[in-house]
Amino acid sequence: MFPDLNEYKWIVPDFIWELDQHIDFDKLSKALPDAEELSKLLPDFEKLGESFSLLKGWFSAGHNLVSEVIGPSDLLLFLGPGGETAFKATDNQTFEGSEKQYKKGLLGELILLQEQIQQHEEEARRAAGNINMGTSQQHRKVSDKDKIDQLQEELLRTQLKYQRILERLEKENKDLRKLVLQKDDKGIHQRKLKKSLIDMYSEVLDILSDYDANYNTQDHLPRVVVVGDQSAGKTSVLEMIAQARIFPRGSGEMMTRSPVKVTLSEGPHHVAMFKDSSREFDLSKETDLAALRNEIEVRMRKSVKNGQTVSPETISLSVKGPGIQRMVLVDLPGVINTVTSGMAPDTKDTIFNISKAYMLNPNAIILCIQDGSVDAERSIVTDLVSQMDPQGRRTIFVLTKVDLAEKNVASPNRIQQIIEGKLFPMKALGYFAVVTGKGNSNESIDSIKDYEEEFFQGSSLLKKGMLKAHQVTTKNLSLAVSDCFWKMVRESIEQQADAFKATRFNLETEWKNNYPRLRELDRNELFEKAKNEILDEVISLTQVTPKHWEEILQRTMWERVSTHVIENIYLPAAQTMNSGTFNTTVDIKLKQWTDKQLPNKAVEVAWETLQQEFSRFMTEQKGKEHDDIFDKLKESVKEESIKRHKWNEQAEDSLRVIQHNALEDRSISDKQQWDAAIHFMEDTLQSRLKDTESVIRDMVGPDWKERWISWTSRSPDQHTRNETKKELEKMLKVNEDHPAYLANDEVTTVRKNLEARAVEVDPVLIKDTWHQVYRRHFLKSALDHCNLCRRGFYYYQRHFVDSELECNDVVLFWRIQRMLGITANTLRQQLINTEVRRLEKNVKEVLEDFAEDGDKKVTLLTGKRVQLAEDLKKVREIQEKLEAFIEALHQEK
């Protein structure tokens, strides 16, 4: 049967043409079953068509009743787009037959019961009309009353029977939906599922909770706000709706310390998950339930800061499970009347403010929870709700603990007055009575449901007509709240989308007017841009030339150690009388210095040099491309990176050996090195002489020229020091080789000479002045000697034999200079090979830490431009999600 492929043989690989040599196609075809045997394996399509037709008839005929049983929101599982059933009948005849079969089932029985109830109610009304007859028909009035009582009893029995059948249908419906959802869930990895409506809506609310409405755009999107007095049973009602004991529990103490937003939706498995976490808690397992309760409690305590008791920070949680009504609820901290010990003084006001903030939303549905076991006069929340919603257009009133109320209340009529809205000043859309347990925190949701149904079936409140069947149980409450929530969503969502559209236009216009040439980068995008710049600047450290490093290191090193070299090594050694003593003193002091201080000082210099270069690259402006919005972030990254950086501790040990060997060498190899040492010594001495001259000038005050030009005069102390200086200079002129210290008799002589000129002077002042005068004299002599040593290299090579010139001080400065050069080279290698890379690693770690810290980014990237870009991003995101949600909502309709 293959076509002629000769013309296309070149396309097909050669091994295809050789298949018949390896495979016996005739034998293979004989082994296959024939068509008749294959047809026996196929399903009976006619019977399948009849089954689907039966299902369509069942759903079409019972459409109204099913919607009443499972709620309009749940019909989406059974109905396709446009409200049609998900199954199509093959013909009309099958549909008519299925309608007859449907009437014989449970649904048919329910319809018959509904008809009986309506008939009984009509008879009761007709009988009640006879009560108003005159006295002539008194005997007939009594019989009609009896008939009414009989009809009411029969009506109640019929209602209870009707309720039981409804419960059976709900259970079957729940099991069927669970199976359907589980079957659908099996393909979750094979295909990408669309987000549910409620998840899309919850995402919008999460974004809005973080949005700072600086542009008069308020969050008016609907959600169910659960309010009530403390310990009124708010959390228990929410748990019954969510069908799991998910909240922390305590005995009379405040457990809800911050708002908890719970997004309820239907799913194949009963699970819970936080908005900012990927962990899924299996609510069918007690261990996961305990972990979830603990996590909620931990998050609440973390949100409470600065000694407060409650926090406005919202905790977002989603709960999915079979048969759960889709809605978004916010559980608020319970309203209190008195602040007890251990609470912050403003706890009461804070709770009121949080509750008002949520209830002020004109589209929020207020679920007002009232404890039925306490006196109505003690209620606090009802007054608060009546202030927020005086007309009761969006309030649903829930009376909890009705079982305790029935036992404890002397007059059951008070319960009826509460349910009818006559006892409290507040108004409501609907009134419900529920029982959320027997007070045992370990009770399961199923046992509470059974107890609630059992209580209301035997309750006199329901039997006597004080409560109606649709006003009791948390199941009916959940259906009513869900319907009200979605009605409010459909009515308000378009208006909210238009408001955010207008806000987006205003923000975009403001950006164009203020920052016409800049991109709209939000805080995260700005951080990424700054991160790249910082990493580029760190990389620039590796491009610094070795020559530049060594010059900076050598100059800084000498600035740091020059004072020690001059004061503690050179000057004490120079006071000796011969070269042998000079060299011995120098060697000892250099050895002590190298062992104790020099390596550590060198490492400090290298570390400070690295910091300076790093700071220079981080802070220098890049011309027109420089963006000062990053300055604060760069400074913080620089400080944190430097704080984390630790120099290699082994560097000092290796550096000590290198420096010691460098200072031991005294062999100057050529005239160029000798001249360099002379120049180094001369610059050092001139710098010290200049500093000494400055100190003396400050001591003695201005000279005669400065006094005449600047019209200044000397102070008495400066005058005394000036006279002392003149007397000491005379002494040095007489003996130029005078030692560095004044003898006591010399001090006495100077003082007497000054007293003879009517100058009173203290011996301490004489010695202090002598120190500076002799220092200047010594430095000038050392400079003259340095000048003589310019021609001393020849004598140095001969070890100053047969020469009066000795230049051991030049050799000392050469040793110091060489040590500085070798140290700078060693530190430069360590910087380039090790420390710069370690610093770069630290910078990357700091940037990663900052990237994960949202508060840090908010602190370091601030300003109108950042805030405007943030608002623009959030408004666009909200608008896009709202539009997607509205589109999905229209499709669902």
Side-chain angles (χ1 to χ4, degrees):
M1 297 298 293
F2 272 32
D4 186 8
L5 299 175
N6 291 330
E7 296 180 5
Y8 306 102
K9 263 190 173 182
W10 59 276
I11 298 175
V12 183
D14 293 338
F15 75 90
I16 296 295
W17 307 114
E18 300 171 359
L19 281 176
D20 56 347
Q21 299 176 10
H22 305 285
I23 301 173
D24 190 349
F25 287 104
D26 294 334
K27 188 176 181 181
L28 184 64
S29 62
K30 291 177 182 179
L32 292 173
D34 56 12
E36 292 181 0
E37 292 178 354
L38 281 174
S39 62
K40 293 178 183 179
L41 299 175
L42 295 175
D44 191 343
F45 290 105
E46 292 182 0
K47 290 184 178 181
L48 281 176
E50 291 176 4
S51 300
F52 281 111
S53 301
L54 177 63
L55 282 171
K56 178 182 178 182
W58 191 84
F59 284 116
S60 300
H63 179 278
N64 294 331
L65 190 56
V66 170
S67 64
E68 193 172 323
V69 173
I70 63 176
S73 62
D74 293 333
L75 277 175
L76 295 172
L77 286 172
F78 298 95
L79 301 181
E84 296 178 359
T85 55
F87 308 104
K88 295 184 178 180
T90 52
D91 51 31
N92 293 330
Q93 292 178 355
T94 310
F95 174 75
E96 292 173 0
S98 64
E99 185 175 6
K100 293 177 182 178
Q101 293 180 10
Y102 143 78
K103 285 187 176 179
K104 294 178 183 178
L106 280 174
L107 290 173
E109 189 174 349
L110 276 173
I111 289 177
L112 292 175
L113 282 171
Q114 276 187 320
E115 292 172 357
Q116 290 177 15
I117 290 170
Q118 292 172 0
Q119 184 179 355
H120 291 323
E121 288 176 346
E122 184 65 30
E123 290 178 3
R125 282 195 295 270
R126 284 201 303 270
N130 295 330
I131 296 176
N132 297 325
M133 290 184 174
T135 53
S136 59
Q137 299 178 354
Q138 190 68 28
H139 62 282
R140 188 174 175 184
K141 182 178 178 182
V142 175
S143 62
D144 286 341
K145 282 185 178 179
D146 295 338
K147 189 175 181 181
I148 289 171
D149 292 339
Q150 292 175 0
L151 286 172
Q152 284 182 342
E153 290 179 3
E154 190 174 353
L155 178 63
L156 183 60
R157 286 196 301 272
T158 309
Q159 283 181 334
L160 291 175
K161 186 178 180 182
Y162 174 72
Q163 187 70 25
R164 284 195 294 272
I165 296 175
L166 277 177
E167 289 169 1
R168 285 176 60 193
L169 275 175
E170 286 173 3
K171 188 176 183 305
E172 292 176 5
N173 180 35
K174 181 178 176 180
D175 294 340
L176 281 171
R177 280 186 301 182
K178 185 174 181 179
L179 288 172
V180 171
L181 289 169
Q182 284 177 341
K183 184 177 179 181
D184 184 64
D185 191 48
K186 290 177 183 177
I188 198 165
H189 300 293
Q190 282 76 27
R191 57 190 177 86
K192 187 177 180 181
L193 291 178
K194 292 174 67 177
K195 288 184 179 178
S196 66
L197 268 178
I198 194 65
D199 289 336
M200 295 170 68
Y201 185 76
S202 180
E203 283 183 1
V204 176
L205 295 182
D206 286 336
I207 299 169
L208 280 171
S209 66
D210 300 329
Y211 176 60
D212 184 13
N214 292 327
Y215 299 89
N216 299 322
T217 300
Q218 298 177 353
D219 174 15
H220 287 167
L221 289 173
R223 71 264 282 161
V224 181
V225 180
V226 187
V227 295
D229 298 337
Q230 185 179 339
S231 301
K234 294 185 298 81
T235 303
S236 298
V237 170
L238 207 156
E239 286 182 331
M240 291 293 289
I241 295 174
Q243 300 181 17
R245 308 300 295 268
I246 58 176
F247 289 102
R249 39 195 31 85
S251 179
E253 60 179 314
M254 179 182 291
M255 297 306 297
T256 306
R257 297 179 177 270
S258 65
V260 182
K261 181 177 77 69
V262 183
T263 303
L264 300 177
S265 60
E266 194 163 27
H269 307 290
H270 204 184
V271 294
M273 183 185 294
F274 289 99
K275 176 189 76 172
D276 56 355
S277 174
S278 59
R279 180 182 176 183
E280 205 172 60
F281 296 88
D282 188 347
L283 302 184
S284 62
K285 297 179 180 178
E286 187 56 40
T287 53
D288 279 25
L289 274 171
L292 176 62
R293 289 193 291 265
N294 182 64
E295 180 67 19
I296 292 175
E297 186 172 3
V298 168
R299 287 174 180 252
M300 283 184 180
R301 295 192 181 278
K302 282 184 179 179
S303 68
V304 177
K305 300 171 184 175
N306 302 324
Q308 297 297 307
T309 307
V310 292
S311 166
E313 187 177 329
T314 305
I315 298 171
S316 293
L317 177 71
S318 65
V319 177
K320 296 183 179 181
I324 295 180
Q325 298 299 315
R326 303 178 303 165
M327 65 185 100
V328 177
L329 302 100
V330 182
D331 185 24
L332 299 180
V335 179
I336 60 174
N337 193 29
T338 305
V339 177
T340 59
S341 61
M343 291 185 178
D346 62 344
T347 301
K348 178 181 175 182
D349 295 334
T350 304
I351 293 174
F352 267 85
N353 293 334
I354 293 172
S355 301
K356 284 181 179 179
Y358 276 92
M359 289 190 288
L360 278 173
N361 178 358
N363 297 319
I365 299 162
I366 303 171
L367 197 62
C368 179
I369 310 297
Q370 173 62 35
D371 189 347
S373 65
V374 300
D375 295 334
E377 290 75 13
R378 293 166 58 186
S379 175
I380 309 169
V381 72
T382 49
D383 291 336
L384 180 61
V385 172
S386 62
Q387 294 174 19
M388 298 294 103
D389 184 24
Q391 302 301 320
R393 293 175 180 170
R394 51 190 180 88
T395 301
I396 296 176
F397 182 86
V398 182
L399 187 68
T400 61
K401 307 178 184 178
V402 183
D403 53 339
L404 299 178
E406 188 178 34
K407 293 177 184 177
N408 301 334
V409 176
S411 175
N413 291 330
R414 284 179 67 85
I415 298 176
Q416 185 177 6
Q417 287 179 321
I418 294 174
I419 294 300
E420 291 177 354
K422 297 177 181 178
L423 191 62
F424 292 113
M426 59 168 287
K427 299 178 181 178
L429 279 172
Y431 297 84
F432 289 85
V434 298
V435 175
T436 55
K438 301 177 184 178
N440 183 4
S441 60
N442 295 322
E443 284 182 294
S444 66
I445 293 295
D446 291 335
S447 64
I448 295 174
K449 281 183 178 180
D450 294 340
Y451 172 69
E452 183 183 42
E453 292 173 2
E454 181 182 347
F455 166 75
F456 281 117
Q457 284 177 5
S459 173
S460 60
L461 298 172
L462 198 63
K463 290 180 180 179
K464 293 179 181 179
M466 296 181 184
L467 297 177
K468 297 179 181 178
H470 69 274
Q471 289 182 305
V472 298
T473 72
T474 49
K475 176 65 178 177
N476 289 334
L477 170 65
S478 177
L479 289 167
V481 173
S482 178
D483 289 343
C484 187
F485 169 76
W486 284 106
K487 181 182 178 184
M488 190 72 80
V489 168
R490 290 186 175 93
E491 289 175 354
S492 62
I493 196 71
E494 298 277 359
Q495 182 181 359
Q496 289 297 297
D498 292 340
F500 278 101
K501 188 175 182 180
T503 303
R504 175 177 175 175
F505 175 78
N506 295 338
L507 292 174
E508 288 176 343
T509 304
E510 185 175 357
W511 182 275
K512 289 176 183 176
N513 292 332
N514 289 286
Y515 313 104
R517 298 182 180 180
L518 294 176
R519 287 179 56 204
E520 301 164 6
L521 300 178
D522 61 24
R523 189 170 277 110
N524 290 331
E525 291 169 332
L526 284 171
F527 181 83
E528 288 301 317
K529 184 178 178 182
K531 178 181 175 181
N532 293 332
E533 285 190 12
I534 292 170
L535 292 176
D536 289 343
E537 287 156 1
V538 174
I539 292 173
S540 299
L541 275 175
T542 61
Q543 299 173 357
V544 176
T545 61
K547 182 181 179 182
H548 180 74
W549 279 121
E550 290 185 19
E551 286 177 355
I552 296 176
L553 288 166
Q554 190 165 347
R555 182 176 65 250
T556 309
M557 184 75 181
W558 177 239
E559 289 173 358
R560 194 63 59 85
V561 303
S562 59
T563 301
H564 180 86
V565 171
I566 298 298
E567 303 295 334
N568 298 339
I569 299 176
Y570 174 59
L571 288 179
Q575 307 304 318
T576 56
M577 302 306 294
N578 56 67
S579 61
T581 309
F582 176 90
N583 290 331
T584 302
T585 304
V586 165
D587 290 343
I588 292 172
K589 290 187 175 292
L590 285 177
K591 180 71 167 59
Q592 293 173 347
W593 184 44
T594 307
D595 290 341
K596 296 179 180 179
Q597 299 178 15
L598 184 57
N600 180 262
K601 192 69 70 175
V603 170
E604 286 181 5
V605 168
W607 175 216
E608 289 176 9
T609 303
L610 178 60
Q611 292 181 45
Q612 291 171 3
E613 288 298 298
F614 180 47
S615 300
R616 179 172 67 85
F617 281 111
M618 291 283 283
T619 55
E620 69 178 2
Q621 297 186 0
K622 305 294 189 298
K624 294 182 180 180
E625 297 180 0
H626 178 74
D627 196 343
D628 56 3
I629 203 168
F630 299 142
D631 291 348
K632 200 173 180 181
L633 173 62
K634 288 182 178 181
E635 183 66 23
S636 181
V637 170
K638 182 193 76 174
E639 291 176 358
E640 184 64 25
S641 302
I642 289 172
K643 188 189 299 183
R644 296 186 185 186
H645 188 83
K646 302 295 180 185
W647 200 272
N648 188 359
E649 296 179 355
Q650 298 177 353
E652 288 189 23
D653 297 332
S654 59
L655 196 59
R656 184 178 289 107
V657 176
I658 293 171
Q659 290 172 335
H660 181 74
N661 293 335
L663 290 171
E664 285 290 318
D665 188 7
R666 302 181 189 179
S667 58
I668 304 175
S669 58
D670 55 27
K671 182 71 165 57
Q672 186 178 359
Q673 292 183 8
W674 181 268
D675 292 341
I678 292 286
H679 182 70
F680 177 54
M681 178 180 174
E682 193 174 33
D683 288 347
T684 302
L685 295 178
Q686 284 178 349
S687 174
R688 294 288 160 177
L689 178 60
K690 187 176 179 181
D691 293 341
T692 305
E693 293 280 6
S694 177
V695 171
I696 293 174
R697 186 166 57 252
D698 293 338
M699 287 173 59
V700 302
D703 57 11
W704 67 269
K705 187 176 181 181
E706 290 179 7
R707 291 200 302 274
W708 276 101
I709 295 174
S710 305
W711 202 250
T712 58
S713 60
R714 289 175 176 151
S715 65
D717 182 67
Q718 288 176 338
H719 176 72
T720 302
R721 285 184 178 275
N722 186 52
E723 293 299 325
T724 305
K725 179 179 79 74
K726 289 179 180 178
E727 195 67 29
L728 293 172
E729 285 175 346
K730 290 178 185 179
M731 185 185 298
L732 282 174
K733 192 174 289 186
V734 173
N735 182 14
E736 292 184 355
D737 296 330
H738 195 287
Y741 301 100
L742 274 177
N744 291 330
D745 57 344
E746 290 175 324
V747 173
T748 304
T749 302
V750 171
R751 189 176 65 174
K752 287 182 178 180
N753 291 341
L754 291 172
E755 287 176 352
R757 297 203 301 267
V759 178
E760 295 291 335
V761 65
D762 185 79
V764 176
L765 186 144
I766 295 173
K767 291 181 180 180
D768 187 36
T769 308
W770 165 258
H771 176 72
Q772 297 299 330
V773 171
Y774 179 80
R775 183 185 179 88
R776 182 176 65 176
H777 170 72
F778 173 80
L779 290 173
K780 285 183 177 180
S781 301
L783 279 170
D784 294 339
H785 181 70
C786 180
N787 193 34
L788 291 173
C789 286
R790 289 182 183 279
R791 55 185 177 83
F793 181 66
Y794 170 75
Y795 299 104
Y796 164 76
Q797 288 180 318
R798 298 180 59 186
H799 305 290
F800 301 106
V801 177
D802 300 329
S803 172
E804 295 181 358
L805 183 65
E806 292 184 354
C807 298
N808 293 307
D809 48 358
V810 176
V811 177
L812 169 63
F813 276 90
W814 178 83
R815 293 165 70 183
I816 297 293
Q817 187 181 35
R818 185 169 181 273
M819 181 274 297
L820 291 174
I822 293 174
T823 301
N825 181 271
T826 305
L827 292 175
R828 187 265 306 168
Q829 293 180 24
Q830 193 171 357
L831 279 169
I832 294 176
N833 298 335
T834 307
E835 302 303 329
V836 170
R837 293 180 182 177
R838 292 177 63 228
L839 179 63
E840 182 180 355
K841 181 181 177 183
N842 288 339
V843 170
K844 289 179 179 179
E845 290 176 355
V846 170
L847 287 170
E848 288 174 1
D849 293 344
F850 283 10
E852 296 174 359
D853 191 343
D855 294 337
K856 181 75 73 175
K857 286 191 281 188
V858 171
T859 305
L860 299 177
L861 292 171
T862 57
K864 180 181 177 182
R865 171 182 153 195
V866 182
Q867 192 58 50
L868 189 57
E870 282 286 301
D871 291 337
L872 256 173
K873 177 189 175 184
K874 287 182 179 177
V875 168
R876 283 172 179 158
E877 189 176 3
I878 292 168
Q879 185 189 356
E880 290 170 1
K881 289 188 178 295
L882 276 176
E883 289 174 353
F885 174 75
I886 291 170
E887 183 181 355
L889 193 64
H890 290 162
Q891 289 177 358
E892 186 181 72
K893 281 186 180 179

